[in-house]
Amino acid sequence: MSSYSLLAIIAIGLASNLDNAGVGIAYGVRKIRIPWYSNLAIAIISFLATLISGLFGNLISTWISPWIGQLIGTIVIIGVGVWVLLQPYVEKKPIPKETSPTSSFTRLLQNPEEADIDSSKSISLAESILLGIALAMNALAGGFNAGITQLNIWYTSLSVGIFSFILLALCAGFGEKFAAEKLGNRATVISGLLLIFIGFRQMF
């Protein structure tokens, strides 16, 4: 494995999970516990989302020439990066309660406490599935990009799963409201820029 491939796998793992950092701190602020088994379930969901989208991207890459695969991967990953960067502006608009599943997941990331459905101040295994799906949305693009550009899908999926578990566990320990707001804004920017950088780096 080349040094670039390793860096790309690590970068995808980080970029796919920076939302976890903001959510973890938000839970810390609200004194909502994330037990290790719930955190592990979220990490597994991110791993599976990356793996499935990566296998799909890999399948498509067998039907097209390598340069077209690189181009598609670049367009997808840069497009998601730009979408992530625009989220702070899009999220200023109120999201209706009765909307599509995608909007519901977006609202959940804006208000992570909604995942604690029973208000127990602890994320149960069942509640972690909903939160895990919401947090895994960015992983889909990273996995597809890895598959279509011939990065190692298993290593990429492991990177996403491991960073999911680590970032959520570590950041849940930081409970200051100011820190949560700061990281939330910066995490979105860093995540978007990382994805855009990965996309451009693949082509040049």
Side-chain angles (χ1 to χ4, degrees):
M1 182 187 297
S2 68
S3 58
Y4 166 70
S5 294
L6 180 60
L7 285 174
I9 287 170
I10 292 172
I12 289 173
L14 278 170
S16 299
N17 287 298
L18 285 175
D19 278 341
N20 293 41
V23 169
I25 289 183
Y27 280 155
V29 169
R30 294 166 177 80
K31 310 297 183 187
I32 298 175
R33 282 185 61 251
I34 308 174
W36 69 268
Y37 49 84
S38 295
N39 193 4
L40 181 60
I42 292 169
I44 290 173
I45 291 172
S46 292
F47 169 83
L48 291 174
T50 308
L51 182 62
I52 292 169
S53 60
L55 290 172
F56 179 67
N58 197 267
L59 180 64
I60 291 178
S61 72
T62 62
W63 298 340
I64 57 180
S65 61
W67 75 269
I68 294 178
Q70 291 280 357
L71 180 61
I72 293 174
T74 297
I75 291 172
V76 169
I77 206 79
I78 290 178
V80 173
V82 171
W83 181 81
V84 169
L85 285 176
L86 292 176
Q87 280 309 289
Y89 306 100
V90 175
E91 290 170 0
K92 288 179 180 178
K93 300 177 181 178
I95 300 176
K97 286 290 182 181
E98 298 298 328
T99 53
S100 67
T102 302
S103 296
S104 298
F105 291 140
T106 301
R107 189 178 69 247
L108 183 61
L109 292 179
Q110 291 177 29
N111 304 286
E113 67 278 5
E114 289 187 13
D116 185 19
I117 298 171
D118 58 7
S119 301
S120 63
K121 292 295 183 179
S122 179
I123 300 299
S124 69
L125 197 56
E127 291 168 341
S128 70
I129 294 175
L130 180 62
L131 181 60
I133 293 173
L135 289 172
M137 300 302 279
N138 285 348
L140 293 173
F144 179 80
N145 177 267
I148 205 166
T149 58
Q150 302 297 311
L151 280 176
N152 188 294
I153 301 169
W154 288 96
Y155 287 159
T156 304
S157 301
L158 280 172
S159 174
V160 171
I162 289 170
F163 276 115
S164 170
F165 188 90
I166 291 174
L167 285 176
L168 196 55
L170 287 180
C171 292
F174 297 96
E176 292 183 320
K177 191 175 187 302
F178 175 78
E181 291 173 351
K182 271 294 193 192
L183 185 58
N185 293 332
R186 290 182 178 179
T188 299
V189 174
I190 294 171
S191 177
L193 291 177
L194 262 177
L195 291 170
I196 292 172
F197 171 76
I198 293 167
F200 277 118
R201 182 63 182 81
Q202 285 173 175
M203 295 300 294
F204 304 104

